[in-house]
Each structure stands twice: as C-alpha cells, then as structure tokens.
Amino acid sequence: MPPRDPASRDSFGALLSRGARQWRRAADLRLRPFDLTEATWLPLIHIARAPEPPRQKDLAASLSLDGSSVVRLLDNLEKAGLIQRREGADRRAKIITLTPRGRAIADKVETVARRIRREALAGLSDREVETTVRVLQKVCRALDAITGEDPA
C-alpha cells in the first residue's frame, strides 16, 4: 500500500532535524542565565543520567563525539570543577563523576529541561507522545543498522 502522503515521508528527516535543533536552542536560551552552553550542559546531563559513572569512551559514544573531542571537553569541565576523572575497576579506563558543583548545575539543567518538555508537549496527548516515541525508536534502530553504530 503506497503512503497516503509521500510528502510526509520526504519531509520526515528535515522536520526531525528542525525539531532537535529547536529543542536544543530552547535549552540554550533558557540556560544562558546560568552561563551554560550545550558543550557544558549536555555532557553533565549524560553523566548525571547514567545509571553508573560512565567511562570516557562511553560518554564519547553517548554524545556522538570522537575520543579526542571528549578529552578536551572533559579537560574543560574538570578545570571548571564540574567533574572528576578517576580510575575504575579497569585502571586503563577513567570513569567520570560529577562534583557537588557539577551535580548542582546538572540539577538546574534538569529543571529547565522538564519545563521545556512540559511546554513543548503541552498540546499532545499521552497517546500521541507514546506513539511518537515508538516511531522515533524504530527510526533510530533503522539508522543504527545503516551506520553500524551501537545503540548503547
């Protein structure tokens, strides 16, 4: 059965990209008073939300960054007193933890993120949000297969 509206499929990627850019732009605008940029708040949130302190390479993967980029980023966050790197069980792999100051900033970011989420999704029913999440998960799995990336 052909799609009812082929233009919807044609515009899917562009609309998805636009939504992601607007979401991040809203976060950047709301976090500007705290002197935070995406390069600061995004890794802090990834670290804060991780079920256990991530290793540098895991953080790099979750941020879709190469190893050298994440090292420079972590150097800056460490200099700012927001994170600590220490040896994990495998002494070759550094794990990253938030400092108390880093945790406080991550908590501020989470508060702003909840507000943005609430405002952006206000006109949607729970069913619409759940359907959208399922669709995006399927798209991400398909893209992972195309790119050969590990979804973890």
Side-chain angles (χ1 to χ4, degrees), residues 25-89:
R25 177 80 175 124
D28 279 341
L29 288 171
R30 298 269 176 99
L31 291 168
R32 191 175 289 158
F34 303 111
D35 200 27
L36 297 174
T37 64
E38 184 177 337
T40 307
W41 64 259
L42 192 58
L44 292 179
I45 288 302
H46 279 256
I47 297 165
R49 291 179 179 173
E52 57 188 46
R55 296 176 299 174
Q56 284 185 191
K57 74 175 202 166
D58 298 328
L59 182 63
S62 74
L63 294 170
S64 299
L65 295 173
D66 63 68
S68 60
S69 295
V70 85
V71 166
R72 285 190 303 275
L73 177 65
L74 294 175
D75 286 345
N76 291 334
L77 293 174
E78 196 167 36
K79 284 177 193 165
L82 302 175
I83 65 152
Q84 290 180 317
R85 288 181 274 195
R86 13 173 230 177
E87 289 180 356

